[in-house]
Amino acid sequence: ATVNLHCNEFDHDFLTSQADSITIHNYSICDDSQKTAVDTTELHEEISKVLAKYNHTVSENCIVRGKSGIDHSVDIVGTDENGRTVFVFVNDSDENNQEIDSRLIQILDTMPKTAILVGFSSISEKTKSIASKYNISIISSQNIGEISLEIKKIIAAKAAQK
């Protein structure tokens, strides 16, 4: 296949081999009102520490087979001595609605004992209703300290239910 290009500025056609390329740098200026992205590496480390503190064996970036036979990617999996699982899904996407719907499907297919969704900022009431119905915890914060504290509360509450 031959790819032809058209120059709108000088109104002529040419081949890609005839084109010159240049690097164009793109910068954006953020003001304080814009949220900064969470450092997912640091966040994973903090979550792993919390789970380890509550005697969970921790694995990151795991593939878990659901009841449907489909493999799902789970950011952090914690397993206690009784085989009860904690799945933590970390949002690193700007498209919250599609991402959270995808995660809900994964949780419903894999059925962990505890499921926690982290870093989802704009969540519809319908999604919150579904999450609460299936005992899925959602942490909307972008602050690693707050996220860590909330996960501690969730895990401590689940440990007390034993």
Side-chain angles (χ1 to χ4, degrees):
T2 303
V3 178
N4 290 320
L5 302 172
H6 180 77
C7 175
N8 289 333
E9 186 175 346
F10 296 107
D11 193 31
H12 68 91
D13 293 329
F14 58 97
L15 298 172
T16 55
S17 61
Q18 297 170 318
D20 290 331
S21 65
I22 59 171
T23 302
I24 298 175
H25 298 282
N26 184 11
Y27 299 95
S28 65
I29 299 173
C30 298
D31 61 16
D32 290 340
S33 66
Q34 293 176 322
K35 291 183 180 179
T36 57
V38 174
D39 179 357
T40 55
T41 303
E42 184 181 347
L43 179 57
H44 280 228
E45 290 173 3
E46 284 299 312
I47 293 170
S48 295
K49 286 178 190 176
V50 171
L51 292 173
K53 179 181 175 188
Y54 286 92
N55 299 317
H56 285 77
T57 303
V58 180
S59 302
E60 292 187 34
N61 303 318
C62 296
I63 302 298
V64 178
R65 181 153 299 188
K67 293 182 293 185
S68 66
I70 296 174
D71 290 336
H72 300 284
S73 175
V74 181
D75 298 315
I76 301 172
V77 175
T79 308
D80 69 8
E81 64 275 359
N82 296 319
R84 290 183 292 248
T85 55
V86 176
F87 286 5
V88 181
F89 296 93
V90 178
N91 181 33
D92 54 6
S93 169
D94 290 333
E95 298 183 24
N96 273 335
N97 291 332
Q98 290 177 343
E99 181 72 16
I100 200 164
D101 290 344
S102 168
R103 297 304 193 172
L104 287 173
I105 291 167
Q106 291 177 356
I107 292 166
L108 296 176
D109 190 32
T110 55
M111 295 303 293
K113 180 70 175 168
T114 304
I116 304 170
L117 299 170
V118 175
F120 293 88
S121 55
S122 59
I123 301 166
S124 70
E125 289 304 315
K126 180 181 175 183
T127 301
K128 287 179 184 178
S129 172
I130 292 169
S132 68
K133 180 179 179 182
Y134 290 100
N135 202 22
I136 299 169
S137 301
I138 300 174
I139 302 173
S140 298
S141 177
Q142 298 294 315
N143 179 294
I144 292 176
E146 289 176 10
I147 293 169
S148 179
L149 183 62
E150 287 300 314
I151 290 177
K152 284 179 187 175
K153 289 178 185 177
I154 293 166
I155 301 301
K158 298 290 181 181
Q161 292 176 355
K162 290 182 182 179

